[in-house]
């Protein structure tokens, strides 16, 4: 389907938007690289799911959201978190199991939420956040607010019953929610060529009577156009949309991945479609930002992540003493 | 006797506050709690399958749809996982959803949202969010609905850190505990026994809370302590009357809240009587009464035991359909009397 | 979609087929009426879900199945059971809690299975039988057999995650299974106008890349044509199909239903579309069967059900003595 | 001492049949069991997420895909409910599926097919059908995967009539119990602890079955009886060595099968030692060790107790992420030593 609203300024045509877009994408890239490095050096524990290569979909989908709009995220959620504006230091602190981390060291990489920026939480359960997003959208609708919810999930998640039930609920109640499927071609090792018998995940929208659209997830402007149109519809009360952003993860699924299920060539080919490089070229060629500014943004990202990592490192470790009292929220009334 | 001084000793059937009481059925009491909460608080709403014009599979939501409208008494598709997930999302976004699942057996469809999401979000997210939702669902056998519509799964929920679990045994508790559950900023599972829905009893007119986490001593007797949950509470009380006629006096303790569990009234009663008979409808193996037994066995009450602890539970079988078979697999008044009698005489 | 195979003889054109079709529909009708009566008189316990009005879909879908083809059924399963050839006496005995019942009184109305006629079981769980049907079809495929599975379920069941996951599995593995949705317009009290945001359940097939077709479920010949075409495809190894049969239940959802969610007019209007009357008229007008034969079939149905009920009634009640040893199948090896 | 005559007394580490033993890791032992079963019986196949070329989330299926092909080592979409349902259907239609669920936490997605279908079909259908399927899944904490990837839900499964539940603690049992599970005509849940996958031990080369429903005494000592499951068995044995150095001798009993549970070895040992310390990783409240405690307290062994029964279990909290916190919430060797020491000295 195509959006009913006239195309809005492309992020690459507006200096301020272009700046924010690149800043977000570079911060995600550098954050993930730092995490990768910390794991490689054995300084981080647990597991991790990096979104390097997927910076375009996270950034494009969150670019024009209001701070009071909400998102639900996934196990591969660092990018969503950063794109929505979370504190890099508190994120890094969480991954390092620090008391200053978003979850006070209780959740780690897969459970970061940030109420201040409307992040209702990453999720360790594939598709676990989708019904929660529908429910949050229901709350906003009942509260008479014009807030919307963007729910991120992967291609693999669309084979879970939770996806089906949540999209149906959102459709029949025309909830203000945008379902953003980051189709990176694999659910762990299982390719979409085998896991679904259709060409595009977006075709599943028809089963719920909701619009569905497939865009190039590595074209941050295409993602912005599709999601922004869906956001307008949702705010107007015209209900949910399924947006499929086709992208690719450069790294393995998690640290234990040996990449046996895909070829070096495939990975190399997708690396040539770097969403950041593509957008930098666009803004340069359009004369929106000059080389010096671009370099400045890159340098700032490196410095910000370095500072966040240092500050996080210096923070005290998570405390165990109040662990029993952390299970339940305190009864007010 | 020490038990009478016990704070939990006060029978909840009589109003703490002297408020007016009326006879209501258990399901009327549940409905009244929901109605009063919805009238008090715009954030409270009900969602579930056929809770609207149909009035609920067991008629519990009744006329709430007519009184509060389809927005706040919301019919849903047959999608338990989606419904509970929507409630979790609505709760983190500021609402106070009450989900009705038609039969507790169907919580199996929603376990991920109940256990991996609702129960863990507050802790896992370092307190960043909490999930003030209530899940109401009927459990138990006795209606001839067979194995997929008759389970008692309270032990599962009680085993999950982050969930509070209540099992009201009287109309007054059905109202008072539900009101507390709705107030609570955490997910609370309310397990209502189908066979209780039509039982009536005195219920305060006012929106009186019964606090979560307080067991109650429903009857006092010196010869043995019976601990029973749900529909087994009234069967135990009935059995106690028969036993009394035979000169055996039983105390009957109703935990009411399975998690957090208030064990003291049980331990004090057992220390006093020296005999414990633990009764549940659910299958015996790894059920809630195993926990009650363990609490006794790791306490000083152990030294006061005059006989081994006994459990009288459902057989470790799925619930069968045929009436005679269905009755045969769960404790009945006569089997309770027999067991109590053996316990007291045998020691 | 339309079937690739040439339309086969219509059941109403062939005396033998027409006879079997009517016999099946009348037996279902009379069986359900007898059950309704036994409940009304308090002679039966538990609950019941009658399929009066839906005889066409059950009969049409099973008409040309082989005995070694399988079905999975639902809470509203008496019709499927009868259409596949189960013993009316053992069915009735089960509902009466007798030792001679299909489940020895352990299961009742919602749990009748009959291996002899390939009925893998009714199910008390909405959508519970759909993944099981896919699994049985997988077994036949792996065993190199050309058996197919027909999975019955209602419109409401298509909103369960189990429906979604099972259809996707069947599609990617092109399993020999036919998904037959008996769309009777309501899931208990909730109308499809509210529970789904699309016109036809069959549209959901597109989400799995499988053919979907909507037919008049009260036209037994239309159901036969659609299902038979799907069965041929499945046997050929061309995978699953979703067939939606539009029908209506005349009675309430179960004994506790007060019918508050639908109008008398709606019920009356659908009663004029009686699948049995329609088929009788067809065969009479086409001269396939004469009035005497039709009357004979009706009388036979009444007698058969009466005899089944009497025999069932006379049987011994289910035994409780071996209940503990009935939980597990005995270890052979 | 009576225990040595006990049939369960024979340590499974040494082959009953004198068959050749090799050192294998726990996951190699699991894989070997599946390979031998698939080689023996065409009906046996494996399905699950990433069990194929990836070799399984924990590498357990490894090279089975290369050896048996994608038909019999079948990758599935991320659809736990559908996968288990497909296994149930394949089982009733004559196959012998082995389902792998990547983390036991995700059985929450499949509970309906596990509990309402697989566990009940044989009984509910009057024996008309049975469900010979195996569900293998890793449980437990210690990998820094946090609350949604670290639960120990064995108590849930053990509470469900119709399911058999095993928790192998050694490589030999991992192989032998899995082979018995595959033979069994009923649904069997096999709970493998992640931290055990890399532990090695002697495993018979032959396809030797370890019968379901037999507890084993792993160590004998006169001062106390430790009952432990899963990864806690090795921790208990390690603690027992430390205690031995302090002059305290512990018996260690490993139930191995949680349902049906063979309580006799526990009761006999406790009758002998007079002290019971029950250890599990799962949260304490309504966990499996509550059942073990209840079995002791309702048996004659109660009269032999020199001290109240003790449970050392996981705290009633979700599993946290940070390494120090994660360790702090479940029993470790030193806390076992401390608890055992207190128990023996304190009485
Ligand atoms: C319910 C559930 N099943 C399985 C897993 C294990 N798992 C974690 S991520 C993943 C792959 C998810 O694929 P997709 O949804 O495409 O997201 P991607 O990893 O590609 O971003 C799997 C199978 C899980 N966490 N939750
Ligand atoms: C998982 C589950 N949820 C809810 C129910 C209660 N219930 C039984 S039948 C039914 C309606 C089913 O509707 P549909 O699938 O359209 O079948 P129909 O009754 O119309 O034949 C409901 C909600 C159930 N048995 N199982
Ligand atoms: Mg993916
Ligand atoms: Mg229907």
């Amino acid at each position: 389907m195509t959006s009913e609203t006239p195309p809005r300024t492309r992020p690459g045509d507006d200096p301020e938007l272009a700046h924010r877009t690149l800043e977000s994408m570079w911060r995600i890239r550098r954050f993930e690289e730092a995490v990768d490095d910390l794991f490689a050096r054995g300084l981080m524990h647990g597991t991790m799911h990096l979104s390097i290569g997927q910076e375009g979909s996270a950034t494009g989908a969150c670019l024009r959201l209001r701070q009071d709009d909400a998102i639900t995220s996934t196990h591969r959620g660092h990018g969503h978190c950063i794109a929505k504006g979370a504190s890099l230091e508190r994120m890094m602190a969480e991954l390092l199991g620090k008391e200053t981390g978003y979850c006070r060291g209780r959740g780690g990489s897969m459970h970061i939420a940030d109420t201040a920026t409307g992040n209702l939480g990453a999720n360790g359960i594939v598709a676990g956040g989708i019904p929660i997003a529908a429910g949050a959208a229901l709350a906003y609708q009942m509260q008479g607010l014009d807030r919307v919810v963007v729910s991120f999930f992967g291609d693999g998640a669309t084979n879970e019953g939770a996806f089906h039930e949540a999209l149906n609920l959102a459709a029949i109640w025309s909830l203000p929610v945008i379902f953003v499927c980051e189709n990176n071609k694999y659910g762990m090792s299982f390719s979409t060529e085998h896991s679904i018998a259709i060409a595009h995940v977006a075709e599943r929208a028809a089963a719920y009577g909701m619009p569905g659209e497939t865009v190039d997830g590595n074209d941050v402007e295409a993602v912005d156009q599709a999601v922004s149109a869906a956001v307008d519809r949702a705010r107007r009360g015209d209900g949910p949309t399924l947006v499929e952003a086709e992208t690719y993860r450069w790294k393995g699924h998690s640290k234990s991945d040996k990449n046996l299920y895909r070829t070096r060539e495939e990975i190399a080919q997708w690396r040539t479609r770097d969403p950041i490089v593509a957008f930098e070229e666009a803004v340069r060629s359009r004369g929106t930002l000059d080389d010096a500014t671009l370099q400045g943004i890159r340098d700032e990202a490196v410095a910000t992540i370095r500072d966040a990592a240092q500050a996080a490192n210096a923070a005290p470790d998570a405390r165990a003493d109040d662990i029993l009292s952390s299970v339940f929220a305190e009864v007010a009334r | 006797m020490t038990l009478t001084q016990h704070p939990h000793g006060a029978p909840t059937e009589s109003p703490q506050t002297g408020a007016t009481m009326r006879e209501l059925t258990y399901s009327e009491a549940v409905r009244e709690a929901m109605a009063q909460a919805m009238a008090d608080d715009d954030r409270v709403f009900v969602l579930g399958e056929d809770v609207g014009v149909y009035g609920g599979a067991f008629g519990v939501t009744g006329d709430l749809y007519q009184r509060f409208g389809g927005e706040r008494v919301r019919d849903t598709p047959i999608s338990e996982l989606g419904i509970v997930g929507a409630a979790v999302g609505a709760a983190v976004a500021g609402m106070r959803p009450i989900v009705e699942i038609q039969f507790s057996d169907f919580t199996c469809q929603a376990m991920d949202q109940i256990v991996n999401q609702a129960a863990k979000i507050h802790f896992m997210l370092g307190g960043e969010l909490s999930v003030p939702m209530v899940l109401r669902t009927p459990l138990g056998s006795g209606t001839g609905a067979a194995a997929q519509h008759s389970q008692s799964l309270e032990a599962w929920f009680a085993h999950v850190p982050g969930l509070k679990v209540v099992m009201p045994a009287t109309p007054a508790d059905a109202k008072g505990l539900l009101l507390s559950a709705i107030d609570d900023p955490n997910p609370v599972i309310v397990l209502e026994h189908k066979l209780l829905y039509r039982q009536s009893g005195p219920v305060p007119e006012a929106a009186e809370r019964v606090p979560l986490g307080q067991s109650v001593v429903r009857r006092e007797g010196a010869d043995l302590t019976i601990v029973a949950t749900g529909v087994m509470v009234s069967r135990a009380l009935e059995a106690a009357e028969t036993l009394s006629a035979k000169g055996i006096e039983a105390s009957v303790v109703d935990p009411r809240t399975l998690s957090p569990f208030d064990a003291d009234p049980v331990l004090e009663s057992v220390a006093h009587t020296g005999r414990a008979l633990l009764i549940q409808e659910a299958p015996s193996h790894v059920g809630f009464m195993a926990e009650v037994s363990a609490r006794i066995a790791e306490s000083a009450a152990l030294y006061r035991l005059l006989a081994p602890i006994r459990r009288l539970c459902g057989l470790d079988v799925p619930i069968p359909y045929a009436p005679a078979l269905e009755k045969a697999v769960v404790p009945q008044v006569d089997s309770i009397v027999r067991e109590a009698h053996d316990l007291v005489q045998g020691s």
Side-chain angles (χ1 to χ4, degrees), chain A, chain B:
Chain A
M1 58 111 249
T2 56
S3 69
E4 307 86 342
T5 46
R8 47 187 68 62
T9 347
R10 291 181 302 173
D13 295 343
D14 173 273
E16 186 273 337
L17 268 179
H19 195 287
R20 272 179 42 221
T21 305
L22 270 174
E23 183 178 76
S24 168
M25 292 199 289
W26 276 119
R27 285 182 173 189
I28 296 170
R29 175 74 51 95
R30 296 302 176 217
F31 183 89
E32 298 290 47
E33 287 168 351
V35 171
D36 201 16
D37 176 63
L38 284 163
F39 261 98
R41 286 162 44 213
L43 299 175
M44 221 174 248
H45 118 130
T47 186
M48 53 158 182
H49 306 89
L50 303 178
S51 62
I52 296 177
Q54 304 186 188
E55 298 85 353
S57 48
T59 299
C62 295
L63 189 61
R64 301 193 214 229
L65 292 181
R66 302 193 319 222
Q67 188 157 49
D68 69 347
D69 289 329
I71 66 168
T72 64
S73 174
T74 70
H75 58 284
R76 201 175 303 287
H78 302 159
H80 312 139
C81 210
I82 294 170
K84 195 64 168 68
S87 150
L88 299 163
E89 178 180 333
R90 287 189 66 195
M91 286 177 67
M92 197 58 87
E94 185 54 34
L95 270 57
L96 292 167
K98 301 293 189 169
E99 187 64 26
T100 55
Y102 269 111
C103 316
R104 302 187 51 218
R106 281 130 171 70
S109 166
M110 290 191 286
H111 302 297
I112 295 174
D114 179 26
T115 42
T117 61
N119 182 347
L120 298 181
N123 212 306
I125 298 296
V126 169
I130 311 178
I132 294 174
L138 173 62
Y140 300 147
Q141 185 188 66
M142 292 180 80
Q143 290 158 359
L145 303 172
D146 69 345
R147 296 161 70 170
V148 305
V149 184
V150 168
S151 182
F152 289 101
F153 50 86
D155 47 286
T158 69
N159 295 320
E160 283 281 3
F163 164 86
H164 178 68
E165 298 186 15
L167 267 70
N168 190 56
L169 286 179
I172 61 170
W173 293 336
S174 57
L175 300 176
V177 53
I178 299 87
F179 299 103
V180 176
C181 176
E182 292 177 290
N183 181 348
N184 61 7
K185 306 273 176 286
Y186 296 91
M188 208 153 157
S189 70
F190 206 46
S191 154
T192 50
E193 276 145 44
H194 302 112
S195 66
I196 61 179
I198 51 178
H200 296 289
V201 165
E203 297 169 39
R204 295 194 155 172
Y208 314 102
M210 87 174 61
E213 181 176 10
T214 302
V215 298
D216 177 356
N218 288 1
D219 175 350
V220 66
E221 294 185 307
V223 175
D224 165 60
Q225 291 296 328
V227 173
S228 296
V231 167
D232 291 347
R233 256 198 314 283
R235 270 198 227 289
R236 279 203 309 269
D238 294 344
T241 305
L242 172 60
V243 176
E244 171 185 21
E246 298 190 307
T247 182
Y248 198 79
R249 61 166 159 75
W250 293 8
K251 296 282 180 171
H253 166 70
S254 69
K255 64 175 178 180
S256 60
D257 187 346
K258 300 187 214 68
N259 280 314
L260 300 171
Y261 51 87
R262 56 182 188 176
T263 61
R264 273 207 197 65
E265 295 63 37
E266 182 182 278
I267 300 173
Q269 186 267 327
W270 273 93
R271 278 169 161 275
T272 65
R273 296 183 43 193
D274 183 331
I276 305 183
V277 170
F279 187 68
E280 280 197 342
E281 275 164 11
V283 293
R284 192 192 290 100
S285 61
R286 293 183 211 158
T288 313
L289 298 177
D290 60 22
D291 287 337
T293 317
L294 294 177
Q295 190 53 48
I297 297 171
R298 293 189 208 111
D299 299 341
E300 180 271 354
V302 175
T304 316
I305 301 301
R306 189 193 50 232
D307 299 349
Q310 278 169 1
N313 235 323
D317 286 339
R319 285 167 35 209
D321 55 2
D322 67 341
I323 200 115
L324 284 168
S325 59
S326 311
V327 177
F328 290 110
E330 267 177 34
V331 183
R333 209 169 191 154
Chain B
M1 183 171 77
T2 67
L3 282 178
T4 45
Q5 276 88 52
H6 197 289
H8 307 275
T12 48
E13 278 71 7
S14 82
Q16 279 78 350
T17 66
T20 343
M21 311 285 288
R22 304 85 16 91
E23 285 280 315
L24 290 186
T25 63
Y26 188 100
S27 48
E28 286 165 348
V30 172
R31 189 181 316 132
E32 185 168 88
M34 292 192 281
Q36 289 177 343
M38 280 196 277
D40 282 3
D41 186 344
D42 291 341
R43 300 171 303 170
V44 179
F45 71 105
V46 177
L47 73 166
E49 294 155 18
D50 310 289
V51 295
V53 60
Y54 194 94
F58 287 88
V60 177
T61 49
D63 62 355
L64 292 179
Y65 174 85
Q66 286 74 21
R67 290 159 65 188
F68 295 93
E71 278 284 304
R72 293 183 71 190
V73 183
R74 187 174 284 264
D75 276 322
T76 67
I78 309 170
S79 310
E80 291 76 13
L81 180 62
I83 298 164
V84 176
V88 173
V92 299
M95 300 298 283
R96 295 266 170 160
I98 303 171
V99 183
E100 175 175 299
I101 297 293
Q102 293 192 335
F103 286 76
S104 63
D105 312 73
F106 315 151
T107 58
C108 286
Q109 268 74 355
M111 272 300 162
D112 176 63
Q113 286 291 334
I114 298 169
V115 173
N116 291 331
Q117 311 296 340
K120 296 176 172 51
I121 281 175
H122 180 77
F123 177 91
M124 201 163 59
L125 274 47
E128 195 71 20
L129 296 171
S130 51
V131 187
M133 68 173 262
V134 174
L135 190 155
R136 289 183 42 248
T137 189
L139 53 62
S141 66
T143 66
Q148 292 175 331
H149 289 72
S150 306
Q151 289 167 96
S152 298
L153 298 172
E154 68 274 9
W156 283 8
F157 298 113
H159 186 51
V160 178
L163 296 180
K164 296 185 180 182
V165 183
V166 301
M167 233 169 129
T170 67
D173 277 359
K175 178 178 178 179
L177 288 168
L178 179 52
L179 285 167
S180 295
I182 295 167
D183 293 344
D184 202 280
N186 301 288
V188 183
I189 310 295
V190 181
L191 301 167
E192 303 163 352
H193 199 292
K194 291 156 203 154
L195 298 183
L196 295 176
Y197 280 135
R198 296 205 171 124
Q199 287 191 15
S200 15
V203 178
E205 211 165 73
E208 268 181 40
R209 273 66 182 165
V210 172
L212 304 184
Q214 286 187 12
S215 300
V216 62
V217 177
R218 300 225 176 255
R219 184 183 197 284
E220 305 199 356
D223 301 322
L224 80 156
T225 301
I226 297 177
V227 182
T229 50
V231 74
M232 292 300 153
V233 173
S234 42
R235 289 187 194 167
L237 288 168
E238 193 180 332
E241 293 313 309
T242 315
L243 289 161
S244 179
K246 302 182 177 186
I248 295 175
E249 294 302 336
S251 287
V252 176
V253 185
D254 171 6
R256 299 200 289 192
T257 304
L258 276 51
S259 184
F261 172 47
D262 170 26
D264 292 348
V266 172
L267 303 182
E268 291 176 29
S269 179
V270 172
H272 180 75
T273 63
R275 299 186 185 89
L277 175 58
L278 315 179
I279 304 173
Q280 73 189 13
E281 175 172 340
S284 176
H285 195 54
V286 200
F288 179 74
M289 288 304 161
E291 178 66 27
V292 176
S293 178
R295 295 293 186 98
I296 297 168
E298 60 203 15
S299 79
L302 177 81
Y303 297 111
R304 317 284 285 276
L305 286 176
L306 303 168
I309 297 168
R310 290 200 187 196
R311 284 182 294 170
L312 180 61
C313 304
L315 299 181
D316 290 315
V317 305
I319 299 293
Y321 161 73
L325 273 55
E326 189 181 21
K327 270 204 163 44
V329 301
V330 300
Q332 305 293 340
V333 173
D334 54 0
S335 56
I336 297 173
V337 169
R338 213 176 310 115
E339 201 70 16
H341 199 267
D342 292 0
L343 175 57
V344 176
Q345 301 306 317
S347 54

